Amino acid sequence: MTTREKELFDFVEKDINYFPLIRHVVTLEERLDELSKLPFVKVHPTDPTRQKVLPAGKQYKELLQQYINGLKVLQRAGGDALDDESPLRRWLNENVFS
């Protein structure tokens, strides 16, 4: 178990049911880090308005969404302040919906 896996496992209070997701999230973190070192867009040398998204950019976008979704599940599992009212919601309730 890596340090990052242990950190996330502790966060979900060592619930073994989340361990496959934790491994997936850690793998995604590593892959996203690798992809972030590659160029995402190719710009035409004489016409900068002509641009092309490269495969690394497309893959990064797809993996990032999976990563975010995995983190949301782990955040809910850890009970990390999701029940707290956000400042925006509090302001709306006080000023708009009252």
Side-chain angles (χ1 to χ4, degrees):
M1 183 182 299
T2 66
T3 305
R4 180 64 174 150
E5 288 172 341
K6 184 174 179 352
E7 179 184 315
L8 292 173
F9 192 55
D10 290 342
F11 180 77
V12 295
E13 299 171 358
K14 300 186 180 184
D15 187 341
I16 196 70
N17 296 317
Y18 290 101
F19 196 69
L21 178 62
I22 289 170
R23 281 228 161 122
H24 183 66
V25 166
V26 171
T27 301
L28 286 171
E29 285 177 346
E30 293 166 355
R31 184 67 182 135
L32 287 168
D33 187 47
E34 292 170 12
L35 286 172
S36 69
K37 297 172 184 166
L38 300 174
F40 291 173
V41 178
K42 181 178 181 180
V43 180
H44 192 275
T46 58
D47 185 4
T49 61
R50 292 177 52 193
Q51 300 178 5
K52 178 181 177 183
V53 178
L54 297 175
K58 292 176 185 177
Q59 194 173 26
Y60 187 89
K61 181 181 173 184
E62 292 171 9
L63 294 179
L64 184 61
Q65 188 59 50
Q66 290 178 27
Y67 175 69
I68 290 169
N69 291 338
L71 285 182
K72 285 180 182 179
V73 170
L74 293 176
Q75 186 179 29
R76 285 189 205 104
D80 186 36
L82 287 178
D83 296 330
D84 292 344
E85 190 175 43
S86 72
L88 176 59
R89 186 174 306 275
R90 190 176 320 113
W91 184 88
L92 286 171
N93 286 331
E94 293 171 0
N95 297 297
V96 177
F97 300 120
S98 58

